Amino acid sequence: MIEGYGNLVIEHFKNPKNMGEIKNPDAVGELGNPTCGDIMKVFLKVEKNKLGEDIIKDIKFQTMGCVAAIATSSMTTELVKGKTLKEAKKITNMDVARSLGKLPPIKMHCSNMAADALHQAIDNYEAKNK
Amino acid sequence: MVRLQRMYWMCGDKKMKKIYLDNAATTQVDKRVVKTMVPYFTEKYGNASSQHLIGQEAKRAMEEARSIIARSINASYDEIFFTSGGTEANNFVLKGLFFENKKTDKNHIITTKIEHDCVLNSCKWLETQGVRVTYLDVDEKGFVDPNEVKKAITPKTFVVSIIHGNNEIGTIQDIEAIGKICKEKNVYFHTDACQSFTKTKLNVKKQNLDFVTLNAHKIHGPKGVGALYIKKNTKITPLLHGGGHEKNLRSGTENIPGIIGFAKSVKIASMFDVMRMNKLRDKLIIGILRIPGTKLNGATGNQRLCNNINICFGNIEGEAIGGYLDTYGISSSTGSACSSNTLEISHVLKAIKCTDLEANTSIRLSISKFTTEKEINYTLAVMAKVVEKLRKISPIKI
């Protein structure tokens, strides 16, 4: 059922942040959910900060999914933009859900996978830049 | 359809337009219906089983209502049995016939893969009781092949139950052809006509129907009341035992205001409304199909319910489309997995061979006699915007 979304979820759904594509990304992560058919694609631009650490300079999501899928994608970008890859790797789907406030329980395991998509992009980046 | 839900939580702004395009879920009660019901709450509140004046007044009104409903499907007034709605009527037919046939060797039901959940789940329960159920396939438009019905009938078959107008995709079955086969084979024929009642012709004699499920709230009547047509001299075991109401077949004090409202909604239903809805439906379908990459689910023309539109968008998810439409005040519903309790796609879309992606990217809009051309124009304009916005953020390109 649809009821059970908090205001912040609705806000991120209505005005999702950082959605779209990055031209010439440094890494891409893609994740599909076989249960409900959601698909997410995340693009990263990575730069080094003054300390020489890799940071997420820019991040964008493309999402085909429900209200929760779009909101979690949007929230994830807000949480990790400007963060180091090390910090971003620590962010879990639970952190994203918590930041959004209220997700219906049934959506916790299906549409809430934006952090996993992000981790995949980071893994791809690290594999490429070993 | 369990998964079809109006996303009212976004309509915070009271001034926002409200365009209700979920009439296959339920309809606005017609004011004339409400008006005829009110005295039966406040003045003529008698129990139809009581012998006194007030009771008999209620009984007379109920019997008149019964006649109105009977006439509308070419039945006789003593063939109409009031129930609490479509779900009860469908349960009554399937389980009542099962109990009736328990002492015989008949233990087979034929139905389809596109029935309403109350038929499918009744069948699933009956399977646990030893009944064999054949779930017939449908073609890509949602039609049952009458020849397949014929082939499936065995000497053990006690009922063929096939939905008349489908609630999700609007396909109207050729029940006359199926009725003819059932008559030839001497098997009971039941149709669930909750969606099609008053929208397309129902004639129990011409269509050889033994049982028909009807309800009020899909036709601008009140919720909580429906009826089952049972052909004269048909034996069925009641599910509800009690004071012997409805000729011992459905005990429980009759919902008189509901029944009065039900009959009124039947009385005021008009073929002119159906013709108008057909036009608006096609305008909406043609308008949406102008958006590239879209496809209509279900049949067209007179073989489709006049109020049903079901479109697949290919690369944007149904619940998300519905969510955005709701921000513009438009109520819709979807068969996508995301919006269901079980995270499963609609069994109807699956049966018409939609892929998971197609089912997940489909929405249903259902109009009513109250829908205006202005609302259709507004919906088309909003739809174009919503689709553009969602397609921009979709990883699947069309």
Side-chain angles (χ1 to χ4, degrees), chain B residues 103-255:
Chain B
K103 282 179 192 150
T104 71
D105 64 345
K106 288 187 190 267
N107 68 347
H108 179 223
I109 293 176
I110 297 169
T111 186
T112 76
K113 289 184 177 163
I114 60 163
E115 299 302 309
H116 188 274
D117 278 335
C118 65
V119 167
L120 290 179
N121 287 331
S122 290
C123 285
K124 275 187 198 134
W125 180 78
L126 286 166
E127 283 176 318
T128 69
Q129 305 300 305
V131 174
R132 194 169 71 80
V133 183
T134 301
Y135 301 92
L136 293 175
D137 283 319
V138 294
D139 67 15
E140 284 173 15
K141 301 255 184 250
F143 290 109
V144 176
D145 180 353
N147 276 323
E148 293 297 312
V149 178
K150 197 173 195 170
K151 276 194 245 163
I153 295 175
T154 75
K156 291 196 168 185
T157 309
F158 61 83
V159 68
V160 171
S161 176
I162 291 178
I163 191 166
H164 190 200
N166 185 269
N167 51 315
E168 291 190 41
I169 55 170
T171 302
I172 299 172
Q173 303 298 333
D174 184 355
I175 53 171
E176 194 171 333
I178 301 167
K180 210 172 148 195
I181 290 164
C182 293
K183 197 181 179 186
E184 275 167 26
K185 297 268 186 181
N186 202 21
V187 172
Y188 285 146
F189 181 34
H190 163 244
T191 194
D192 170 3
C194 286
Q195 293 284 342
S196 61
F197 187 33
T198 73
K199 295 188 182 76
T200 185
K201 285 223 168 77
L202 256 180
N203 183 328
V204 295
K205 295 205 172 72
K206 205 172 161 211
Q207 294 162 332
N208 283 309
L209 288 154
D210 299 293
F211 301 92
V212 180
T213 294
L214 305 171
N215 85 354
H217 79 99
K218 309 280 193 200
I219 58 169
H220 306 285
K223 292 169 185 61
V225 59
L228 182 64
Y229 156 79
I230 305 177
K231 194 178 180 175
K232 227 172 264 177
N233 302 322
T234 305
K235 285 208 166 112
I236 185 165
T237 303
L239 302 186
L240 301 183
H241 298 87
H245 307 77
E246 301 295 290
K247 293 195 286 177
N248 259 326
L249 285 183
R250 202 277 185 186
S251 284
T253 300
E254 298 89 348
N255 171 7

Side-chain angles (χ1 to χ4, degrees), chain A:
Chain A
M1 294 293 155
I2 301 308
E3 65 259 35
Y5 286 132
N7 288 340
L8 199 57
V9 181
I10 302 303
E11 199 36 54
H12 274 274
F13 168 65
K14 279 162 83 170
N15 302 302
K17 308 274 170 14
N18 306 305
M19 298 305 279
E21 206 175 343
I22 295 178
K23 292 249 159 72
N24 308 315
D26 293 320
V28 178
E30 194 168 356
L31 208 58
N33 184 317
T35 322
C36 62
D38 288 352
I39 300 170
M40 288 176 186
K41 202 167 173 182
V42 54
F43 302 85
L44 293 182
K45 237 356 186 188
V46 180
E47 256 180 20
K48 293 227 183 286
N49 66 7
K50 283 176 196 158
L51 302 168
E53 296 167 313
D54 286 327
I55 61 154
I56 297 176
K57 175 81 172 60
D58 197 10
I59 174 168
K60 280 201 165 144
F61 258 93
Q62 283 183 331
T63 302
M64 192 208 77
C66 62
V67 175
I70 291 173
T72 50
S73 304
S74 170
M75 180 50 99
T76 304
T77 66
E78 292 276 274
L79 288 176
V80 302
K81 209 170 178 177
K83 294 257 163 67
T84 65
L85 292 189
K86 213 172 146 192
E87 287 167 323
K89 272 161 91 172
K90 282 187 196 145
I91 292 206
T92 64
N93 291 335
M94 267 311 283
D95 295 329
V96 176
R98 227 173 278 135
S99 311
L100 280 169
K102 202 178 167 200
L103 274 185
I106 196 163
K107 299 280 182 174
M108 286 301 289
H109 301 290
C110 86
S111 310
N112 184 17
M113 57 178 193
D116 291 343
L118 167 72
H119 296 161
Q120 208 179 75
I122 296 175
D123 288 348
N124 289 346
Y125 177 81
E126 289 178 340
K128 242 187 350 194
N129 294 285
K130 244 179 202 168

Side-chain angles (χ1 to χ4, degrees), chain A residues 1-3 5 10 13-16 19-20 35-39 41 62-68 70 106-107 110-111, chain B residues 2 5 7 9-10 315-317 319-320 323-324 327 337-341 343 357 360-361 389-390 393-397:
Chain A
M1 294 293 155
I2 301 308
E3 65 259 35
Y5 286 132
I10 302 303
F13 168 65
K14 279 162 83 170
N15 302 302
M19 298 305 279
T35 322
C36 62
D38 288 352
I39 300 170
K41 202 167 173 182
Q62 283 183 331
T63 302
M64 192 208 77
C66 62
V67 175
I70 291 173
I106 196 163
K107 299 280 182 174
C110 86
S111 310
Chain B
V2 181
Q5 202 74 52
M7 287 167 248
W9 36 260
M10 285 175 171
N315 67 342
I316 51 178
E317 203 272 334
E319 191 198 287
Y324 274 129
T327 64
C338 269
S339 61
S340 84
N341 275 337
L343 296 178
L357 181 65
N360 281 325
T361 59
K389 184 165 178 178
L390 280 167
I393 66 171
S394 172
I396 303 171
K397 295 295 165 224

